[in-house]
Amino acid sequence: MVVHDFSGLRLSRLPSVYRFNASSFNSAVRSGRFFVLSKKLQSSRGKLIWCSLVGKIIVEKYFSDSKFSALTLAASKKVLVPCAISDASYPLIDQLQSPGTILDDPQVTHNVDSEGMEGDKKIEVEAKPMSIPPPGAGQKVYEIDPLLLDFRDHIDYRYAQYKIMRKEIDKYEGGLEAFSRGYEKLGFIRSETGITYREWAPGAKSAALIGDFNNWNPNADIMNQNEFGVWEIFLPNNADGSPPIPHGSRVKIRMETRSGIKDSIPAWIKFSVQAPGGISYSGIYYDPPEEEKYVFKHPHPKRPKSLRIYESHVGMSSTEPKINTYANFRDDVLPRIKSLGYNTVQIMAIQEHSYYASFGYHVTNFFAPSSRFGTPDDLKSLIDRAHELGLFVLMDIVHSHASNNVLDGLNMFDGTDSHYFHSGSKGHHWMWDSRLFNYGSWEVVRFLLSNARWWLEEYKFDGFRFDGVTSMMYTHHGLQVTFTGNYNEYFGYATDVDAVIYLMLVNDMIHGLYPEAVTIGEDVSGMPTFCLPVKDGGVGFDYRLHMAVADKWIELLKKRDEEWQMGDIIHTLTNRRWLEKCVVYAESHDQALVGDKTIAFWLMDKDMYDFMSLDKPSTPLIDRGIALHKMIRLITMGLGGEGYLNFMGNEFGHPEWIDFPRGEQRLHSGKVIPGNNFSYDKCRRRFDLGDAAFLRYHGMQEFDKAMQHVEAKYGFMTSEHQYISRKDEGDRVIVFERGNLVFVFNFHWHESYSDYRVGCPKPGKYKIVLDSDDTIFGGFSRLKHDVEYFSTEGWHDDRPRSLLVYAPCRTAVVYALVENEPKAVVTLQLTENVNVVEESTEPEEESKLLDC
């Protein structure tokens, strides 16, 4: 293993098997025709040439020198026009690229219809252009929900402003596709002859590029500003042809501002690090030699029909009290996620954040992956390994706010508080103590759109979970507001139309350029049209996080079992908008943070410390807790949405809470918040507890694994058929159907029911496919799994047929119709050594009964 010394910072060099060779192919392919040759490399100016070299595809492109131009700012209250950068006069194929850039991407078949290669035979192929469809009519939302007609003025105004924005981007930037590649114009741009650095900082009086490369001399590399606030400098290559800024050098921009001299990390920096023992961060010019760059080897997996998401945090994913690495997560955690049956990993805290305890939500450097966990190439190797395992990879992206850190982040970047953010109190989030973006600023929209695209292009993420979207969409940010579902709460003066338009633009860009990508919005308000396509008048997300469910479980766990209402549970789980998909969860990272409790801790509390070992007798609190923990998770997955999320470790009832290392904090008011002596003890995941067969955690983990595998086999979350046939407040029983499965939940604390009749939709033989009371799941094995259940004709609970079953207290049992089982879908082995889940076929077509 080779180690590079970055001015006192030691970063490991990846072994050759994990090296990346170039930037993404997708950003180069536009439209037109080009030639593919095998075993030869030819080039011609303005053409794309491919060659087959030892199984790899290398793409070389020669471009004309690009020109930097600016357009006049013409702003009105309603129309925004670009103020800094454009190259619309040049053909798209020559836009925003450095001369001689080598581009490599194994995903080229996604963009090219190729007839194959034979020897040295030249084959002409047609490139599929990367384009974003023009805006639609924006009227279909009224067909889907006629109640929206009463708010047509607001919704039509919103869509009209979106169309104006698209038109202006087309006119001044060459389209949304080109506009979203700002990282190819701003920041550090490498070319054959040197490095160009550009920064938008209209509030600065002067600027200079400083760093290790010029001994931090502020007079060595003075930048020039154009009339639109963009500072620029070109550094020619050294005499020997080497780059003027060595890979790994520390860099900053020094600006004279109205508040004095300020050294800032470049806003578009691709990597930043904190010196050992230091406080502030430094930007790193990250451009390793070609032979050291990571080469992606595996294609994106197919977009899952139903998302089973494992929410994770790289830093706290170790069983040891330390900050874990991308490499360890890749090697140790990803196989675990696959074995558990999840098909998607959602990774938090990727964007660089100087304050570790912010959980990654106070971002300082938006284009830089967190250096705490390793290098950018380490992250690429993690994502590539996930794709090799067939895992979809979502990034928890933060565009709702930014850190108020002045030294390391965007706050007061050019000496003004209105640079990227609203000025004054409008630009500050009083609860989060962070800065709020001005989504009406052209350059802010460029920055954020380009940021989303950067992570998809450069790192091959498969989509995003957008954080804090409720805060974005309303001027009150959802604070001290109760959303009741009244449409006046969504369409009025409290709505930040600029922010909603940005969300429409970013969803348009993502889905237009990456049709398989997924976007999930964290919205607690229930905004109508949130998950409808932009062309139909919606905001454009694929899924909404169904956040009310977790709150309902916490509310119920504070009550006695006798106070639980079956109808209340059902209402919360099913209270979602028609045709707008949801990702549901019983608990996420929010419920695991210090100051709150996980479901397991609410249920079992201090008994978890002494009675989770199988060689000790259980307690009533433990028995109740384990039983309800399994039931809560299954009914949430079964009824709550079209996707399911679990925060890492909660699958086995992780004890205690999450507490990031922190010191004592003294507020301006004089109040002192005690720290934890910078301890990492509560900032890790004890996976060893779930793996230990002698602990009761193991049974809970095995149940969660079985639950994921049953969903993989039957696809019940995305079944069109959902029918709730019973919610009995006296028996405390809930019965519902998803697809050809019948779910039976008995929440009663002591009553078990023999020969209990439950409705079913189809005639035939049923069998048990999941039983929460199974011994391997920590249950009491009160059901025999070799029993066959035959339907009988006759209406019961508004169902044409019924079954007689045994429903023990505090159990959840899933029955499947045997005749309509999917064929050879899942290989399932409920042991510690399960490594692979094979999903080879889709469930058979189901009867499309009306949903209840």
Side-chain angles (χ1 to χ4, degrees), residues 330-628:
R330 176 195 67 213
D331 297 337
D332 301 333
V333 182
L334 287 179
R336 167 182 291 275
I337 297 170
K338 179 68 177 180
S339 171
L340 288 171
Y342 291 86
N343 59 19
T344 305
V345 54
Q346 178 177 298
I347 309 178
M348 307 169 62
I350 291 295
Q351 294 164 293
E352 188 59 88
H353 48 290
S354 60
Y355 183 43
Y356 188 44
S358 74
F359 228 138
Y361 291 121
H362 282 216
V363 176
T364 44
N365 309 121
F366 282 77
F367 289 82
S370 180
S371 58
R372 287 183 181 86
F373 317 136
T375 68
D377 290 288
D378 290 333
L379 175 59
K380 290 174 182 177
S381 71
L382 183 162
I383 295 170
D384 202 25
R385 172 59 173 153
H387 288 165
E388 182 184 9
L389 291 170
L391 294 172
F392 218 60
V393 186
L394 301 179
M395 174 180 165
D396 196 343
I397 197 168
V398 184
H399 283 181
S400 50
H401 64 133
S403 170
N404 65 5
N405 186 322
V406 175
L407 291 177
D408 305 322
L410 296 178
N411 190 19
M412 303 292 291
F413 184 86
D414 67 349
T416 68
D417 77 337
S418 58
H419 184 201
Y420 283 92
F421 313 105
H422 290 292
S423 61
S425 60
K426 187 178 180 181
H428 288 83
H429 196 292
W430 62 265
M431 179 174 284
W432 293 345
D433 193 22
S434 57
R435 296 305 312 272
L436 297 172
F437 286 108
N438 177 5
Y439 303 103
S441 164
W442 189 273
E443 290 305 315
V444 171
V445 172
R446 184 201 305 274
F447 180 84
L448 294 176
L449 285 174
S450 300
N451 184 245
R453 185 166 181 184
W454 169 254
W455 294 107
L456 296 172
E457 286 279 331
E458 185 72 11
Y459 290 92
K460 312 297 183 190
F461 279 100
D462 299 298
F464 301 110
R465 177 258 197 195
F466 280 82
D467 176 69
V469 177
T470 302
S471 175
M472 298 172 68
M473 294 192 298
Y474 305 98
T475 56
H476 52 61
H477 311 300
L479 302 176
Q480 298 177 331
V481 173
T482 299
F483 291 98
T484 65
N486 187 315
Y487 280 21
N488 288 291
E489 298 164 355
Y490 308 116
F491 308 113
Y493 293 113
T495 303
D496 188 335
V497 175
D498 288 336
V500 175
I501 291 171
Y502 165 70
L503 293 171
M504 295 165 71
L505 287 170
V506 74
N507 275 300
D508 240 6
M509 183 270 292
I510 292 170
H511 293 126
L513 299 178
Y514 314 93
E516 290 290 295
V518 166
T519 60
I520 303 171
E522 185 197 31
D523 171 41
V524 72
S525 74
M527 163 73 81
T529 76
F530 189 76
C531 293
L532 294 177
V534 175
K535 64 183 177 65
D536 296 333
V539 182
F541 284 98
D542 295 301
Y543 296 86
R544 181 204 317 271
L545 277 181
H546 197 350
M547 303 173 69
V549 174
D551 294 337
K552 174 56 65 175
W553 288 124
I554 298 303
E555 175 190 323
L556 291 176
L557 291 172
K558 296 177 182 178
K559 300 179 178 180
R560 297 179 301 117
D561 291 10
E562 295 87 339
E563 297 177 82
W564 290 25
Q565 297 296 313
M566 303 300 101
D568 186 28
I569 295 172
I570 292 295
H571 174 74
T572 303
L573 289 169
T574 58
N575 184 23
R576 53 188 190 271
R577 295 185 59 81
W578 183 50
L579 296 182
E580 299 194 39
K581 294 186 291 187
C582 289
V583 171
V584 71
Y585 55 92
E587 54 186 340
S588 69
H589 67 273
D590 287 329
Q591 286 72 40
L593 288 170
V594 64
D596 205 340
K597 292 182 181 181
T598 63
I599 288 178
F601 218 53
W602 274 109
L603 288 166
M604 295 176 279
D605 205 62
K606 64 181 185 300
D607 276 23
M608 296 183 75
Y609 295 116
D610 299 313
F611 300 102
M612 292 300 284
S613 176
L614 291 174
D615 63 2
K616 290 185 178 181
S618 183
T619 67
L621 200 62
I622 292 293
D623 290 341
R624 171 184 179 268
I626 291 176
L628 289 178

Side-chain angles (χ1 to χ4, degrees), residues 209-217 221 249-253:
L209 182 61
I210 58 176
D212 294 329
F213 73 99
N214 64 7
N215 294 316
W216 300 91
N217 182 355
D221 296 294
S249 295
R250 294 177 298 170
V251 290
K252 285 194 174 183
I253 178 174

